[in-house]
Structures are given as C-alpha cells and as structure tokens.
Amino acid sequence: MTILILSVIAIVVFVATLVYLKKKEKFDDLNNNYVPDRVEEAVEKTKKVVKETARRTKNVINESKDVITELKDVVDAAKGKPSKKKYYYNSKKKK
C-alpha cells in the first residue's frame, strides 16, 4: 500500500514540475503536450535507428542462411557428392 501511495506522490510531483517548468518557459514545447521537443526529437531519431538496425539484421540473417547452404554444398563436394544446385557448372554432359 505504501508503494502505491509513494508512486502516486511521485507522479503528482513530476506533473507539477512539468507544469511549473512549462509556465516558466524552461523548455521548448511547440505543440503544448508537456513533452519537451528535445525528447520528441530523440524518440524520432531512436525509432529511425531501430528500424535501420532491424532491416540490416534481417539482411545479415538472410545472408547467413545463404552462407550455411553454400557451406553444406562445399562439405558435400569434399565428400564427392554432386552439388544440389539446379544449374551446377559441371552438370552438362560432355560429348
């Protein structure tokens, strides 16, 4: 119960501080949502970085799958088995 009371007090103090700082114009807030513009810009930059990182990670995973497949072909070739590719270089019969 005391944790609930302390958290409510902390939230009230936080909101009161935001309102006070906004009225004293201590931070920029062009859209008047009591979230500083610097924080909003940082969130947007973070979103862009996360999206780019996710895209690159997906590409790395796909390339890793291709490398694993190629390595399996190399191991099979070392054992003397034919490659599993459809268009294998040596698959044409020589006349």
Side-chain angles (χ1 to χ4, degrees), residues 21-48:
L21 291 175
K22 175 71 175 139
K23 289 194 185 238
K24 293 290 184 175
E25 297 179 359
K26 296 291 181 180
F27 64 87
D28 296 331
D29 186 19
L30 297 177
N31 55 1
N32 294 326
N33 63 353
Y34 293 102
V35 177
D37 290 337
R38 288 184 183 177
V39 173
E40 291 175 351
E41 291 171 4
V43 168
E44 290 300 320
K45 287 180 183 178
T46 304
K47 284 182 183 179
K48 288 179 184 178

Side-chain angles (χ1 to χ4, degrees), residues 12-86:
V12 169
V13 168
F14 178 74
V15 170
T17 304
L18 280 178
V19 170
Y20 173 76
L21 291 175
K22 175 71 175 139
K23 289 194 185 238
K24 293 290 184 175
E25 297 179 359
K26 296 291 181 180
F27 64 87
D28 296 331
D29 186 19
L30 297 177
N31 55 1
N32 294 326
N33 63 353
Y34 293 102
V35 177
D37 290 337
R38 288 184 183 177
V39 173
E40 291 175 351
E41 291 171 4
V43 168
E44 290 300 320
K45 287 180 183 178
T46 304
K47 284 182 183 179
K48 288 179 184 178
V49 168
V50 167
K51 285 181 183 180
E52 178 66 18
T53 304
R55 184 188 66 79
R56 288 182 178 185
T57 303
K58 184 177 178 182
N59 289 341
V60 167
I61 290 171
N62 290 337
E63 290 298 321
S64 298
K65 289 178 182 178
D66 290 342
V67 168
I68 290 170
T69 302
E70 292 296 323
L71 286 175
K72 289 178 182 177
D73 285 344
V74 169
V75 169
D76 288 344
K79 291 179 181 178
K81 297 179 183 177
S83 177
K84 296 176 184 173
K85 287 188 175 183
K86 292 180 181 179

